Amino acid sequence: MRYLARLLLLAPMLALATVAVAQERPESYPSRPVKIVVPFPAGGPTDILSRVVAQRLSEVWGQPVVIENQPGANTAIAAARVAKQAPDGYTLFAAMDVTMVLNPLTNKNLSYAPLKDFSLISLAAKNTSLLTVRADGPKSVQELIARAKANPGKLNYGAGIITTRLAGYLFNREAGIDVQYIPFNGSAPTVQGLLTGAVDYIVDGTASHVSLIKSGQLRALAKLNSRPLPALPDVRPLSVEAGNPALDDISTWIGFVAPAGTPRPIVEKIQREVAAMYRDPVIAETLQKSGISAVSSTPEEFDVFLRKETDRWGKVFKDSGIQLN
């Protein structure tokens, strides 16, 4: 009875607290620390971008914006957790193509539904992925293809997410080579796998290993799109190096979302801040040096983009015949 009495006494206060959170005015948001969950280990493109954004938001808002890394299951573990958080703007999620497009296409038992469980905020970046080998590896894409054809089934490649795995699959298919796939849990482990010789080449974002390329430990054979790459200006598109237009643009992207039901004024406030910071040439240059092309959008534009990506990658995945557990 005493327990019940305490609950009855606390109920009005809990109700008031709930109303206070729900009714927080956009102009007062944020009034406490904000968290951005990154579904990868530290050091990859998504982590690098999120830390740049978090630092600027902290400066503008006068509140800490902290990064929490939670890798696993092709971003699904973190996505499912964030989807269940309070829709108050204090937990944001750095989602990727794999989170919003590939996981729903490839996993029938996914523990979250992207367009149902999240409020879209903004597209945040289009990454330039690279086809990379060690410094002692092939000196060109054509040499890599020749080596693979001379040793069918003996070479292997690494990738950290389904998107880069599919990009590698497309390259292998178009090049007509028989290569084994080795999975990794994110960009940093993928790069480490290449350095240690666990794989012969990788497909991964520029940001995760541009410093190793510049230091001469790794060699970028090609970039997976035709966009300028100031960090590595001499690296040419894979479509050119492989002589195949079908390999024109198969890189990855990042976007920011929040739990579904996050008040629209708060979503719009975050979106405006992201767009504003990208107009700062210092931030744009910082990201470009890591191979990250900063791109913002409205929630509606993000939604249209997602649906187009779902159509595109749905066809690629179906054609690939890849079976996932």
Side-chain angles (χ1 to χ4, degrees):
M1 292 296 292
R2 290 179 181 176
Y3 178 71
L4 179 59
R6 284 198 296 269
L7 283 178
L8 291 173
L9 287 172
L10 285 172
M13 290 183 284
L14 291 172
L16 286 172
T18 301
V19 171
V21 169
Q23 294 182 345
E24 179 171 10
R25 293 177 298 176
E27 57 267 26
S28 66
Y29 169 86
S31 58
R32 53 190 172 88
V34 175
K35 175 170 58 182
I36 300 177
V37 177
V38 175
F40 296 105
T46 308
D47 180 73
I48 291 171
L49 170 71
S50 297
R51 290 180 188 277
V52 170
V53 170
Q55 181 177 342
R56 175 53 66 91
L57 291 179
S58 297
E59 295 168 357
V60 172
W61 287 340
Q63 291 287 347
V65 179
V66 299
I67 300 298
E68 181 178 306
N69 298 90
Q70 187 178 16
N74 272 320
T75 78
I77 293 175
R81 175 183 156 226
V82 172
K84 294 179 176 64
Q85 300 301 303
D88 53 13
Y90 288 93
T91 302
L92 309 179
F93 187 53
M96 281 196 69
D97 38 61
V98 64
T99 315
M100 306 299 287
V101 175
L102 271 300
N103 280 347
L105 288 172
T106 61
N107 189 339
K108 296 180 180 178
N109 300 309
L110 199 61
S111 52
Y112 67 93
L115 295 179
K116 177 183 176 183
D117 293 340
F118 295 112
S119 291
L120 305 180
I121 298 174
S122 175
L123 188 62
K126 290 186 176 180
N127 301 331
T128 295
S129 297
L130 299 172
L131 177 64
T132 306
V133 297
R134 289 182 301 279
D136 60 354
K139 294 181 172 57
S140 69
V141 171
Q142 294 297 339
E143 184 178 336
L144 173 62
I145 293 173
R147 184 175 299 186
K149 287 185 175 181
N151 299 277
K154 294 184 179 180
L155 270 63
N156 50 47
Y157 79 100
I161 56 175
I162 182 62
T163 319
T164 46
R165 177 183 178 182
L166 283 173
Y169 157 79
L170 284 174
F171 165 65
N172 298 335
R173 184 190 72 182
E174 295 298 320
I177 56 179
D178 177 13
V179 180
Q180 303 301 312
Y181 166 67
I182 305 296
F184 292 96
N185 189 19
S187 290
T190 300
V191 174
Q192 187 62 26
L194 180 60
L195 286 169
T196 59
V199 291
D200 297 291
Y201 62 95
I202 63 172
V203 177
D204 201 73
T206 304
S208 58
H209 58 296
V210 63
S211 61
L212 294 170
I213 294 170
K214 289 185 174 181
S215 69
Q217 293 176 263
L218 300 178
R219 178 185 297 114
L221 297 185
K223 57 185 179 181
L224 274 63
N225 59 47
S226 301
R227 292 192 296 272
L229 182 58
L232 300 166
D234 297 329
V235 177
R236 301 200 303 170
L238 180 59
S239 58
V240 174
E241 293 291 342
N244 192 321
L247 301 172
D248 181 52
D249 190 353
I250 46 177
S251 289
T252 60
W253 53 264
I254 304 167
F256 289 114
V257 302
T262 299
R264 178 68 184 212
I266 290 178
V267 167
E268 291 176 347
K269 184 171 186 176
I270 300 169
Q271 190 276 329
R272 287 195 300 270
E273 294 295 356
V274 171
M277 76 176 69
Y278 283 177
R279 291 193 290 269
D280 183 335
V282 174
I283 288 182
E285 183 179 2
T286 297
L287 294 173
Q288 281 185 345
K289 286 181 178 178
S290 295
I292 298 172
S293 299
V295 179
S296 66
S297 71
T298 65
E300 290 75 20
E301 291 168 340
F302 194 3
D303 181 81
V304 171
F305 177 78
L306 277 179
R307 295 178 191 279
K308 289 181 178 178
E309 284 289 280
T310 298
D311 289 342
R312 178 171 78 122
W313 284 110
K315 294 174 183 176
V316 173
F317 182 71
K318 183 179 180 180
D319 291 344
S320 75
I322 293 174
Q323 298 295 318
L324 300 176
N325 296 327

